[in-house]
Amino acid sequence: MMQGNNTLGFQLVANMERMTQDRIGASALKNAKYNDRFLDIGESLSALRNEKVGDGDSAIIIAAGPSIKRKDPISEIKERGYSGAIVATESALLYCLRNDVIPDLVVTLDPHATRIVRWFGDPSLNQKKLDADDYYRRQDMDPAFANELQANQEILGLLNDHGHKIRIALSTSASKAVVQRVIEANMQIYWWNPMLDNPDLENSDTRRLQDLNGLPCVNAGGNVGSACWMMASAVLNKSAVGLTGMDFSYYSETPYRNTQYYHDAVNLVGLENLSSVYINIENPYISENFYTDPAYMWYREAFLEMAADAAETCSTSNCTEGGILFGDPIEFITLRKYLDRHIADD
Amino acid sequence: MDVLKGNFQTKKPATLNKKSDNESLEDRFEREALKNLGGSIAFVSKKKVLWGDEDQN
């Protein structure tokens, strides 16, 4: 199923845990210490365990992978009147709100100082800032983001109008800009700490963080989509979770330039060796080829492990209808089939 | 360049960074590029939620 000469790609996957820690460990801790002053705005994530979040025992995750614009899962979810829990990544917030869907829970965690706030609408965004960072412009995401200033105005307005109706699982690792925007938009905050390392280790940062603020520490699986799944399965205790927009990969026709780490990959190996960084994978369920980068590949491996650990209490169905997230114990099915099953249950 | 070499004395002795000495431009470039790769947050094997109050892992 895996093809091509991508030795470097696999080497990077093997080192991704350490590289992630090097990249975000310090900023996540710094943000958590800064955010201590805001913890009395909102509640602990623990409070969510006592709330009814969506009907029945199932949930659907809406993430913002490239399949979203091709498959448009919200149309079917709305059409079928699904009333289970909808848990969305912050990156899928605009997609949900412009389709008149208020997610039951939104999750955010990435500590990046300037990028993540864009999903909530950045009140200080201007052309100069856009010129300095092409991260969103380049990628194969929600086409609504193609006109960045316009999309920013739209999400600012939508969140100002609807924020007070939306619960957010807000990680203490979130940036100052994100926290400020979430508070401004009057969202219902549930604070949590991301696990930064194994809490059983001596001098664990995770333990230190919990000693500092007393909040639950959640294993977020490397990314916000996986964190949504963890929230649905281990916090909301849903026994079935369906995934949409969780591609962890790119469609085969996507130019390398439209991938998240394009500039870094070029810096690392040069334009002529770019294919050594990426990994090609055939999805046997739909007989389609996708390619992925080392970070997405690491997310996939981590997710499969988490889903296997939870399999006794929570079944996971990938309804993305594309991408590379398949394998034991994940059931790869259409969204229609998942809805047939859970609309009847609920 | 020779004309600039050794014609002045610094106030403080300069200490050379050994790591940079041995590190080629290519290595440095690679190190910088790797710094930007990685996930959004950590993944911790075999863990779910550490509630703190009741420690359900």
Side-chain angles (χ1 to χ4, degrees):
Chain A
M1 265 178 298
M2 299 190 191
Q3 310 140 4
N5 174 23
N6 28 47
T7 324
L8 178 61
F10 283 109
Q11 277 172 7
L12 291 170
V13 175
N15 288 304
M16 205 47 70
E17 197 170 321
R18 181 185 51 77
M19 286 160 63
T20 301
Q21 185 56 24
D22 290 350
R23 190 169 82 107
I24 54 90
S27 55
L29 264 180
K30 190 178 154 204
N31 288 350
K33 283 176 186 162
Y34 179 82
N35 288 329
D36 206 45
R37 72 199 69 186
F38 301 117
L39 299 186
D40 56 346
I41 305 174
E43 300 180 75
S44 160
L45 186 74
S46 298
L48 264 189
R49 288 183 293 179
N50 306 320
E51 287 189 26
K52 177 177 177 281
V53 181
D55 292 337
D57 286 333
S58 74
I60 292 181
I61 309 301
I62 302 182
S67 60
I68 284 295
K69 66 181 179 188
R70 301 178 191 224
K71 306 292 178 186
D72 188 22
I74 279 183
S75 293
E76 202 168 351
I77 291 168
K78 280 175 67 177
E79 197 180 301
R80 301 288 303 277
Y82 177 73
S83 61
I86 302 276
V87 183
T89 60
E90 82 284 71
S91 48
L93 198 47
L94 176 59
Y95 173 60
C96 290
L97 293 182
R98 65 182 354 211
N99 284 290
D100 302 319
V101 168
I102 305 287
D104 293 289
L105 183 67
V106 170
V107 182
T108 191
L109 56 79
D110 192 313
H112 196 284
T114 57
R115 283 179 181 165
I116 307 306
V117 70
R118 293 279 301 280
W119 302 123
F120 298 87
D122 178 357
S124 67
L125 187 69
N126 54 35
Q127 195 56 49
K128 195 178 165 193
K129 277 190 176 179
L130 287 178
D131 292 343
D133 189 0
D134 68 352
Y135 183 78
Y136 289 107
R137 199 156 52 249
R138 272 189 301 108
Q139 292 189 60
D140 185 22
M141 293 179 175
D142 185 342
F145 269 87
N147 184 337
E148 293 177 281
L149 285 173
Q150 194 180 310
N152 192 55
Q153 283 308 313
E154 188 183 359
I155 186 68
L156 276 170
L158 284 168
L159 201 58
N160 288 344
D161 291 345
H162 300 290
H164 66 283
K165 294 178 257 178
I166 306 173
R167 296 183 191 95
I168 181 163
L170 179 58
S171 169
T172 55
S173 56
S175 71
K176 193 175 170 178
V178 165
V179 172
Q180 203 171 331
R181 177 72 186 123
V182 164
I183 293 172
E184 264 172 22
N186 227 353
M187 297 178 83
Q188 301 167 28
I189 300 173
Y190 295 85
W191 288 101
W192 56 286
N193 294 317
M195 283 192 188
L196 298 174
D197 54 15
N198 185 340
D200 298 335
L201 294 175
E202 206 180 327
N203 294 321
S204 151
D205 282 336
T206 305
R207 281 278 176 197
R208 203 170 295 142
L209 208 47
Q210 192 165 68
D211 290 344
L212 176 80
N213 58 29
L215 292 169
C217 297
V218 179
N219 180 14
N223 68 96
V224 67
S226 300
C228 285
W229 174 87
M230 187 59 90
M231 293 290 169
S233 67
V235 177
L236 305 181
N237 288 315
K238 299 296 181 184
S239 59
V241 181
L243 312 173
T244 67
M246 291 269 281
D247 301 73
F248 290 162
S249 62
Y250 307 98
Y251 285 89
S252 58
E253 64 272 23
T254 309
Y256 286 149
R257 193 183 150 63
N258 298 132
T259 64
Q260 60 180 340
Y261 295 122
Y262 171 75
H263 292 311
D264 309 300
V266 171
N267 285 344
L268 193 62
V269 294
L271 258 179
E272 64 285 6
N273 296 314
L274 269 185
S275 59
S276 66
V277 175
Y278 295 98
I279 299 160
N280 301 309
I281 298 180
E282 187 199 347
N283 182 325
Y285 292 91
I286 51 174
S287 302
E288 226 180 300
N289 289 307
F290 296 87
Y291 74 94
T292 192
D293 61 34
Y296 278 152
M297 190 67 182
W298 177 60
Y299 294 165
R300 174 188 193 261
E301 290 182 357
F303 192 95
L304 288 172
E305 187 185 313
M306 293 197 309
D309 288 345
E312 273 185 27
T313 54
C314 176
S315 66
T316 303
S317 308
N318 189 356
C319 314
T320 297
E321 301 181 22
I324 61 161
L325 187 52
F326 53 83
D328 191 40
I330 294 176
E331 177 190 36
F332 198 90
I333 57 170
T334 61
L335 179 58
R336 172 170 300 182
K337 194 169 175 188
Y338 184 81
L339 290 170
D340 284 346
R341 191 184 293 164
H342 293 289
I343 285 173
D345 282 358
D346 296 338
Chain B
M1 291 303 280
D2 276 354
V3 74
L4 294 174
K5 209 190 287 177
N7 64 355
F8 66 96
Q9 192 72 41
T10 56
K11 280 184 188 162
K12 287 182 185 172
T15 48
L16 292 176
N17 183 336
K18 236 181 171 179
K19 198 175 167 193
S20 324
D21 251 5
N22 298 330
E23 193 177 48
S24 70
L25 189 63
E26 218 169 84
D27 289 340
R28 222 172 70 206
F29 212 59
E30 186 177 317
R31 188 161 49 82
E32 289 304 314
L34 287 174
K35 256 190 203 169
N36 296 320
L37 292 173
S40 293
I41 206 75
F43 161 63
V44 183
S45 194
K46 305 291 168 201
K47 297 289 176 196
K48 291 180 185 172
V49 183
L50 184 71
W51 289 106
D53 49 0
E54 56 212 52
D55 277 9
Q56 292 176 347
N57 276 306

